[in-house]
Structures are given as C-alpha cells and as structure tokens.
Amino acid sequence: MIEFRNVTKVYETGIAAVNDISLYIEKGEFVFIIGQSGCGKSTLMKMVMKEVEPTKGHILVNGIDITKISKRRIPNLRRSMGIVFQDFRLLPDKTVYENVAYAMRVIEADPKIIKKQVPNVLALVGLANKEEFYPDQLSGGEQQRVAIARAIVNNPSVLVADEPTGNLDPDTAWEIMSLLSDINRRGTTVVVATHAKDIVDKMQKRVVTIDKGNILSDNENSGYEPNVEEPEHNNYKDFTGPSFPWNKRKAGV
C-alpha cells in the first residue's frame, strides 16, 4: 500500500529530515507516525503527498513508484488519496456541501453521483444538518469533519492526515480520531502524523516513532499480523530493520 525504500531527505539548508528510512504500511492498516516537532514525521507525510521530493530512495503508493512520476501526474496521485491537514484548508466562500462536492467536481464525477454521495458522506461524519453552513459558521471540530468528508468523498484507498487534531481541544480531538478509526474499519488505510501521545495510547494502533529522522521504534500493537508467507522480492531483500519484522517483504504490493 505505502512503502518507503531507504528514503533520505536533506533540505537545501543541509538539515537531514529523514535518514535512510524503510517502512511498509499494509492495506487496511491504521498507523500513527509520532515524534517530537522537527523529528521528520511531517516530511514523511509530505513526501507521500508529493509535496516534498526525497533526496534518495523510493516511495511506492498502491504499487506505483511516485518518485518517478511526472509533475503532470501529481494531481491524479493526490486525487487517489484522501488528505487531511491541521489547518483544514476549506474554501471560505463555499458551503459545507460545496466544499465536499468540489473534490468530486475536480475529478469530473457525474452530477447525479455527486448529489447522492455528498449527503451520504456528510451524514457519515455527523454533519448532515450543516450542508448550507459556511466554514466560518462552524467550530474547529466541525471544520475538520468537513475536511475529512472532502478527503473520503471519492472513496480513496488511503487517507493521510498530518496533525489533524493540532488545533482542537482534547475532547474534539478524540472525536476526530474516533471518526478516523471508523473510516479505517470500513477498509481505508489510515496514516496519521501526530504528537498527541494520550490519543495514541488510547487508540492501540500500530505506532511508528520517529526521532531525528530515524525510525526509533515500530510498535505493532494493533493486532495486525504481516503475511510472512508472501513470496520474496528478488531485487529487494534487505528489509531487516525494526520496521520490517516480517523480513524480505514483497515489494510494490
């Protein structure tokens, strides 16, 4: 689903944000990427979104090496995944309905499908009665729910969230994480970068800890068990670090 192969990112300032990281996220997993500010977790997320290019290494999403795709294919990549940001990034002059529908119009979805799908997704995130509201009429938690609705309205296989609760109070943050967990149970792979340790501890999902650009630990406490019987990939046999307890994972799945 998502795979980092010996990925390094060194910024022009000389700062090494990510150091030779290898990581595999299975289809249907819920994974937290945690660490202190400046540890490199947001850089990892931005590389998945193709906002930042790695200095070395390869990143695969749904079996496609996104480090090799052209700039004109980046919009299609981002449309294939759901993306949620800390600052919501809603269109202020559009209603809740229009913000979510916009994501479908961008991919030229049939208007009839839009008319049916948007209310369904808004109901899923608990905003069925807020369709005609504008972002500035909503609480922070409600705005984030709109952002999540927009991210999932096209049924992406993966949802990437970078500090989605960073601007929210603890109770609202927990509601948002519970919503993401519900989305994951419906089959969507969810990857969340956060520093909210209390929420991470409660959720009991797989936790990848980043420290100074390195994977410090990979705690698979979610009950996920990798398929160790998958055939070996002939050209990629060096997955031996702590983030690859199933050693010699088939690449590019």
Side-chain angles (χ1 to χ4, degrees):
M1 175 58 68
I2 298 176
E3 184 177 1
F4 291 83
R5 297 180 179 178
N6 302 104
V7 173
T8 293
K9 175 59 183 179
V10 180
Y11 287 102
E12 293 180 358
T13 58
I15 296 174
V18 172
N19 299 312
D20 196 32
I21 279 183
S22 290
L23 177 68
Y24 187 91
I25 297 173
E26 183 66 84
K27 180 180 179 180
E29 277 196 275
F30 189 122
V31 181
F32 282 113
I33 309 293
I34 69 169
Q36 297 181 350
S37 296
C39 70
K41 62 182 185 296
S42 287
T43 296
L44 279 180
M45 304 295 271
K46 289 177 181 178
M47 286 193 288
V48 172
M49 302 174 204
K50 199 74 174 172
E51 286 190 355
V52 170
E53 295 289 341
T55 305
K56 293 192 299 182
H58 298 272
I59 302 168
L60 281 76
V61 178
N62 290 326
I64 298 172
D65 188 342
I66 67 170
T67 59
K68 294 181 178 180
I69 67 174
S70 62
K71 288 184 178 180
R72 65 182 179 84
R73 292 179 61 193
I74 293 175
N76 287 332
L77 168 71
R78 291 176 182 161
R79 291 168 194 164
S80 72
M81 63 176 69
I83 302 173
V84 180
F85 301 95
Q86 178 177 344
D87 56 357
F88 318 139
R89 301 194 186 183
L90 301 178
L91 300 170
D93 60 340
K94 293 186 181 295
T95 65
V96 166
Y97 180 97
E98 291 168 340
N99 264 278
V100 178
Y102 182 77
M104 298 190 73
R105 293 193 178 105
V106 165
I107 64 168
E108 300 181 348
D110 187 311
K112 292 181 180 179
I113 296 176
I114 294 174
K115 190 174 181 179
K116 180 179 179 180
Q117 178 75 343
V118 173
N120 288 341
V121 172
L122 288 175
L124 177 65
V125 301
L127 293 175
N129 62 339
K130 301 282 186 177
E131 286 189 5
E132 300 305 317
F133 283 60
Y134 287 86
D136 63 1
Q137 295 175 302
L138 304 175
S139 67
E142 288 172 332
Q143 290 185 59
Q144 192 60 293
R145 286 174 181 271
V146 177
I148 292 171
R150 181 183 58 191
I152 66 173
V153 72
N154 289 318
N155 297 312
S157 58
V158 58
L159 178 65
V160 178
D162 191 6
E163 297 286 3
T165 62
N167 291 330
L168 306 177
D169 64 80
D171 288 342
T172 304
W174 177 248
E175 291 175 0
I176 293 300
M177 284 300 186
S178 296
L179 175 58
L180 293 178
S181 184
D182 288 343
I183 292 167
N184 172 246
R185 282 194 289 269
R186 292 171 176 263
T188 303
T189 304
V190 176
V191 185
V192 179
T194 185
H195 61 270
K197 185 178 183 302
D198 54 337
I199 290 178
V200 173
D201 290 343
K202 289 180 182 178
M203 295 282 285
Q204 293 294 297
K205 304 292 186 180
R206 180 180 173 190
V207 179
V208 177
T209 305
I210 307 296
D211 182 51
K212 297 178 181 178
N214 300 292
I215 294 180
L216 186 64
S217 65
D218 186 350
N219 178 22
E220 297 192 40
N221 58 4
S222 64
Y224 163 68
E225 295 182 0
N227 181 2
V228 296
E229 296 181 356
E230 287 189 32
E232 184 176 297
H233 191 285
N234 293 331
N235 298 321
Y236 210 73
K237 302 182 180 180
D238 58 344
F239 289 163
T240 55
S243 41
F244 286 89
W246 55 96
N247 194 18
K248 300 180 182 178
R249 159 71 70 179
K250 179 182 177 184
V253 177

